Amino acid sequence: DIQMTQSPSTVSASVGDSVTITCRASETISSWLAWYQQKPGKAPKLLIYKASTLETGVPSRFSGSGSGTEFTLAISGLQPDDIATYYCQQYKSYAGMFGQGTKVEIK
Amino acid sequence: EVQLLESGGGLVQPGGSLRLSCAASGFTFSTSALTWVRQAPGKGLEWVATVTVSGGTTFYADSVKGRFTISRDNSKNTLLLQLNSLTAEDTAVYYCATDKGAFHIWGRGTMVSVSS
């Protein structure tokens, strides 16, 4: 199974700060990676797919990069509405799809 | 409006069964592969099962293989998940989603609780 490892588990930042979340795959997944945002009690929402393609309607302060085994989700100018847990997902294979999540908090 | 709406969750005893439904509207259901993802209380996301566009091919997580069955009815724009031999470890919110590799459209989820 592919293992997806996110870091950090929690990040605390101030409004307006830039935030970076890393996702590492245990084997190469090319660019078959997505990022989701999940707010408490809500369904996940797709932010980015194919590593760097922004889903329609997602604010441009979100960006994704990387390929192979290392990927990054960046939030430039953190907003209060960005408080959520973020998950990466590989879709090269079904087993081991999701990372464990990164909780973003306001400092 | 593009929408997926799950139903059928509830409280069931260990060893029991449930059937979850996911009704789709606002998009061409028959052209999307479909997936179930679950989330245990306070935990992360876990892929459960996927069915292809035609319904002819299915994929399952090892944790549910042989107990859960995913299917679809394209004439009714409905995705199904039959859950058998349930255990406490199956307690979770179950989400359906459209599957293009990434999961673009998600339902709100339905809660399954397994307890005596």
Side-chain angles (χ1 to χ4, degrees):
Chain A
D1 295 4
I2 298 175
Q3 305 296 323
M4 303 301 292
T5 304
Q6 287 182 235
S7 60
S9 298
T10 305
V11 57
S12 185
S14 299
V15 172
D17 283 354
S18 292
V19 170
T20 299
I21 300 168
T22 297
C23 181
R24 288 186 175 88
S26 59
E27 63 181 75
T28 182
I29 57 170
S30 185
S31 295
W32 303 123
L33 186 104
W35 289 97
Y36 300 86
Q37 176 193 66
Q38 186 179 34
K39 297 180 179 180
K42 300 294 187 182
K45 172 188 175 183
L46 177 65
L47 298 176
I48 288 167
Y49 59 97
K50 212 171 179 184
S52 61
T53 303
L54 204 64
E55 176 72 332
T56 302
V58 173
S60 58
R61 64 180 179 273
F62 292 93
S63 64
S65 63
S67 67
T69 61
E70 188 151 338
F71 302 85
T72 298
L73 172 69
I75 309 173
S76 59
L78 186 70
Q79 299 298 307
D81 189 51
D82 300 335
I83 301 312
T85 299
Y86 293 81
Y87 294 92
C88 63
Q89 174 225 351
Q90 63 81 13
Y91 48 100
K92 178 185 177 182
S93 68
Y94 286 114
M97 274 200 138
F98 292 99
Q100 79 277 20
T102 295
K103 188 173 183 180
V104 174
E105 300 175 338
I106 294 287
K107 193 182 295 183
Chain B
E1 181 189 3
V2 172
Q3 190 173 0
L4 292 170
L5 187 61
E6 302 91 339
S7 60
L11 176 63
V12 61
Q13 292 188 339
S17 298
L18 276 178
R19 190 174 83 157
L20 307 184
S21 297
C22 172
S25 59
F27 66 97
T28 308
F29 179 83
S30 60
T31 62
S32 293
L34 297 160
T35 282
W36 288 96
V37 173
R38 68 184 180 182
Q39 186 170 36
K43 303 297 184 182
L45 302 171
E46 180 189 14
W47 169 75
V48 174
T50 294
V51 62
T52 56
V53 168
S54 67
T57 303
T58 56
F59 305 89
Y60 296 94
D62 287 345
S63 57
V64 307
K65 199 173 294 182
R67 301 188 299 121
F68 290 10
T69 302
I70 188 172
S71 61
R72 64 190 294 164
D73 186 338
N74 287 341
S75 68
K76 296 181 180 178
N77 286 1
T78 300
L79 172 69
L80 300 171
L81 186 68
Q82 178 69 39
L83 291 66
N84 296 331
S85 304
L86 286 162
T87 73
E89 287 66 43
D90 297 314
T91 294
V93 175
Y94 285 72
Y95 298 101
C96 60
T98 59
D99 185 343
K100 294 184 178 179
F103 305 144
H104 288 254
I105 304 168
W106 293 68
R108 296 180 181 179
T110 187
M111 182 70 201
V112 172
S113 297
V114 184
S115 175
S116 54

